[in-house]
Structure formats: C-alpha cells, structure tokens
Amino acid sequence: NFVDNTHNHDDSYASIDTQHTHDNKVVLDGITNEKVSSWDSKSEFSGNYNDLQNLPVIPSIDGLTSKEYVDKKIDEMIINIKDYGATGSGIYDDTNAFKAAMTYIDRIGGGKVVIPTGTYLISEMLYLPSNLTIECHEKAIIKRDGDGAIAINGLVGGIYEEPYSANSNIKIIGGIWDGNTNRQENGYNMFNFCKGENFTILNATFKDYSGGHVFDISGCKHVLIDGCNFIGFRPTTDREFAEAIQISEHTEAGAPGCFGTYDYSISEDIVIQNCYFGSSGTENTYGVNGVGTHGSTYDVYNRNIKIINNTFENAHFAAVRNFKYDDVLISGNTFRNCARAISLSSTSYREEDSNGNLLKCQSPKNCIISNNYIIGSTVNAIYMSGQSYVDETDNSKNHYSFICTF
C-alpha cells in the first residue's frame, strides 16, 4: 500500500460505531492479486427458482453446467420494455409498463427485458422476479420519481423463511439509474436485495441517492458488482453518511419494512471490482462513501468480501468501512481525497443478555489490505479503532478489541 500523507487520529469518528474479541487478523502487505471476474462460474445453482429453472444439480446439460443452461434460456426470452407501453419520454410515468414486463417474466419463469435509450420515470417500487436480466442501452435513464426504492427482490411482507430463498438470479446490465435525490427530503435505498443469491450488476451508473444506500445487500450470497459508477450522495437530517453498497446480515433494524424472516442470514461471497465511487456534481450532493456497513449482530460475521481494483474519490466519511466482516480482501484500489480511505472499527461493549452472558466488543477478522494507492486523505489513510471494557468489581469481565491507526 502506498500512502502519500498521514493525519492525526480523530476520536470523534470512532464514537459513531454503536453496536456490538475474538482472534483478529489484519494483514497489510504487497501481495499481487489476480483480477476476480466472478465467483466460481462452474458452481451449481441452488435455491428457489421458478418452474423453468427447477433443474437437478447435475454436471452438465447439453454440455453446459446448470448455471450456464439457465443463463442461456434467459437470453433466449427477450422482451422490449416499449412493447409494454413505456414511452421513455421523461415526461410520462412508465411504471405500469415496467410492472407489466416484470409480471410477464415472473409468469414464464425468467427472461431478459431490454431498455432502449430514453428517460423512464418510475413512481412506484418494482418487484424483481427470479431469473431476470435487465439490459439497458448505455444512454437509457431510469429515473426514480416516487418516494421509496426503485426495486426489491421480494414481495413486501413475504415470509421467505429459508436463507437465500427470496427471488434470485437477477442481473442488471448498463443504464443510468437516477435517484433524483433533490425531489424530496427523506432518505431511501435505491435497491433492496434481501435473502437471495446470484446477483450480477454490470457496467451501470447509479447517481444521486440520499440518506440510504444504492444497494442494501441484506442476507445475500454470490453477488458480483463490476464496472459500475456510484456518484452523488445527499445527506439527510438524520444521516450524514451512508455507504453506496451496504453488506449486512438480514435483520429488521437493517432492512425494516422489507420482507423475509429476520433470521440473521449473513451476506457472503461478494465481489466489488473495477467500479468508480465519487461525486456527481449535482447540487446538494457529495462524494459517496463506497462499501461497508454501520450495524452488526453479536457473533454474526458477513464473510468472503473482495473489494478490488476500484477508484474512490471524495468520500466524506470512509470509502471502505469494515465494521465487522470476516475474510476480506481490499486490494488494488485507488483512493483520492477521501476523509478516510479504509476504516476498520469495532463494536462497543453491550450489556449482558437475558441469560447473563456478557456481550463483548467484537472486531473485523482476517482482513488483507494490499497494493492500494492512497492520496490526499483528510483524516486517516488507513484507520483501525477498537473498544475496551473494564469492570472494577469483576476483572474476569475485562476485555478489549484491537486499536490501531495509520
């Protein structure tokens, strides 16, 4: 890692971590990291697919793995959003056309929706079915024109009891997804992905969101975000910062009002690569905070997260925030003019639970930070903060998590 300047420790930032030590390992070195293009491309599908995709887990179908076979079938079922009444005018509401297209894809078990160039106004949250690809022209603008999220991968209030049982195998390719942040004062997430698997986001731009996240990834696995731009964040009165991509376990506090049993399903096998995080230039917006989380559950760790070959600029809190992840690689990234480039922080001491067990401070585990270029950090380049607890009446309860700063 190359750092061109360092700054004093700022204790005021550490106080923001307000939720929940095991063996911790943080490695900073100069290892060479190969580009990760996807998770295991030959792995088999599992989960709740519609009738078309209820394939046995077998080595191949017509010479293809079952995943490749599913992708091939989806690519053969293509519809154009304008055939469902969308205007792309930027004047008329195109929500009903998108709803109709999603309903059709859901009914036939999967397919691809093509979005031609134009500006499409979406005033209500869209329900994304399983086995869906949305492929947008590079100049297609999908513009949020309502009060909530643009899309979710399950029915609001749906149970989805099993981990990773909500709608899955969803791809978003291309387009400009505009949060239209100055339309209203409240915060929101642009996309809520909960309790699903196999999400791929490629070569798209996401701009101007406020208060919440672009992607709230809650209890999901096998997620690839590659070649995307995340630009423009507007703070709200109750939240001055939020990550563009939040990766967390599935809890009611983390994903309120969404769907799925809140069973603390973890998020795992997440790759974020070749993306840009920065400013949009829109009035009242700032550079985005890139990847991380700001909440946690005791003894629960989201794991196997790779943040590689990205560029982060002008993050006003932290570009990458590992609050409590396990098995993390942060490598080959460029950080310019961020308050903090990389932040690793621990949860605070919690009171005893109902069984009298002490809930100790907990920290990130097994994090490798390598081959990053950091320039112009205004607070810290790489920051690590811990927590401690001292019980003057019972020394057996004393404990601490790591504390270190660069």
Side-chain angles (χ1 to χ4, degrees):
N1 302 283
F2 174 80
V3 180
D4 83 324
N5 59 352
T6 57
H7 300 268
N8 293 329
H9 179 102
D10 180 2
D11 288 325
S12 65
Y13 276 68
S15 65
I16 295 175
D17 297 329
T18 56
Q19 289 199 43
H20 326 290
T21 293
H22 299 281
D23 295 334
N24 300 298
K25 180 181 178 184
V26 178
V27 179
L28 292 86
D29 65 17
I31 66 169
T32 300
N33 176 64
E34 295 181 359
K35 175 182 175 182
V36 178
S37 60
S38 68
W39 56 88
D40 181 5
S41 62
K42 295 297 181 182
S43 63
E44 304 299 335
F45 271 78
S46 61
N48 67 322
Y49 299 108
N50 294 340
D51 292 341
L52 178 65
Q53 270 67 43
N54 281 334
L55 303 172
V57 178
I58 57 179
S60 66
I61 302 171
D62 296 334
L64 303 174
T65 65
S66 55
K67 179 181 186 302
E68 291 168 339
Y69 183 80
V70 169
D71 290 343
K72 181 174 181 292
K73 287 298 183 183
I74 290 175
D75 287 341
E76 291 173 352
M77 299 177 184
I78 302 174
I79 63 175
N80 189 310
I81 194 65
K82 289 198 171 181
D83 292 338
Y84 286 77
T87 67
S89 65
I91 299 172
Y92 300 107
D93 189 339
D94 288 320
T95 303
N96 288 338
F98 277 77
K99 283 185 173 181
M102 299 304 138
T103 299
Y104 177 73
I105 294 298
D106 195 19
R107 182 171 62 82
I108 66 173
K112 178 187 292 185
V113 180
V114 174
I115 314 296
T117 185
T119 298
Y120 302 84
L121 301 183
I122 305 297
S123 62
E124 298 178 30
M125 186 166 58
L126 301 176
Y127 163 80
L128 303 183
S130 287
N131 310 315
L132 167 71
T133 295
I134 300 176
E135 186 170 309
C136 303
H137 187 278
E138 64 179 6
K139 294 183 179 179
I141 300 172
I142 298 86
K143 191 169 187 177
R144 174 181 165 275
D145 198 41
D147 294 333
I150 292 177
I152 60 174
N153 69 310
L155 295 173
V156 173
I159 302 301
Y160 306 102
E161 289 187 358
E162 296 299 318
Y164 318 115
S165 61
N167 294 350
S168 300
N169 194 29
I170 294 171
K171 295 181 182 179
I172 297 175
I173 303 172
I176 301 168
W177 300 77
D178 186 348
N180 197 13
T181 186
N182 288 322
R183 179 186 178 278
Q184 62 189 61
E185 294 295 324
N186 64 295
Y188 54 87
N189 297 327
M190 289 179 70
F191 295 85
N192 290 313
F193 288 162
C194 304
K195 297 193 73 171
E197 60 181 329
N198 302 319
F199 298 92
T200 302
I201 315 297
L202 302 174
N203 304 322
T205 293
F206 303 93
K207 63 175 294 188
D208 295 345
Y209 65 104
S210 63
H213 313 280
V214 174
F215 289 104
D216 192 342
I217 300 170
S218 179
C220 295
K221 65 180 180 179
H222 304 327
V223 178
L224 171 65
I225 301 176
D226 190 355
C228 295
N229 299 308
F230 297 85
I231 54 175
F233 170 79
R234 184 174 66 83
T236 58
T237 54
D238 59 346
R239 181 178 285 180
E240 295 185 359
F241 68 93
E243 303 82 2
I245 303 171
Q246 174 168 268
I247 304 167
S248 65
E249 65 274 23
H250 191 55
T251 66
E252 186 171 10
C258 284
F259 55 86
T261 303
Y262 294 112
D263 56 1
Y264 308 104
S265 299
I266 67 168
S267 290
E268 60 179 328
D269 301 334
I270 314 292
V271 177
I272 301 165
Q273 65 180 19
N274 306 317
C275 294
Y276 174 79
F277 299 81
S279 304
S280 67
T282 301
E283 185 180 5
N284 301 320
T285 66
Y286 299 86
V288 306
N289 300 296
V291 184
T293 189
H294 47 261
S296 69
T297 302
Y298 192 74
D299 271 347
V300 175
Y301 289 82
N302 302 286
R303 61 177 303 277
N304 193 17
I305 298 166
K306 296 178 174 63
I307 304 168
I308 53 180
N309 301 330
N310 304 285
T311 297
F312 301 87
E313 291 184 336
N314 305 317
H316 65 286
F317 176 69
V320 175
R321 188 182 189 199
N322 181 351
F323 185 25
K324 210 181 78 175
Y325 295 152
D326 181 13
D327 190 12
V328 179
L329 175 64
I330 305 170
S331 182
N333 303 286
T334 298
F335 301 87
R336 294 192 183 95
N337 302 320
C338 300
R340 283 186 172 134
I342 301 169
S343 173
L344 287 79
S345 51
S346 303
T347 62
S348 61
Y349 162 74
R350 303 298 297 274
E351 298 294 335
E352 296 178 350
D353 64 16
S354 58
N355 296 318
N357 299 312
L358 181 67
L359 303 184
K360 296 182 178 181
C361 309
Q362 294 186 321
S363 300
K365 302 191 294 185
N366 303 315
C367 180
I368 296 175
I369 301 173
S370 68
N371 296 329
N372 298 287
Y373 184 83
I374 303 172
I375 183 170
S377 296
T378 58
V379 179
N380 300 105
I382 300 174
Y383 169 83
M384 303 180 193
S385 72
Q387 303 278 352
S388 63
Y389 174 73
V390 176
D391 189 324
E392 296 180 354
T393 62
D394 186 352
N395 291 336
S396 67
K397 293 183 178 181
N398 294 349
H399 64 277
Y400 64 91
S401 57
F402 70 71
I403 180 165
C404 180
T405 184
F406 292 82

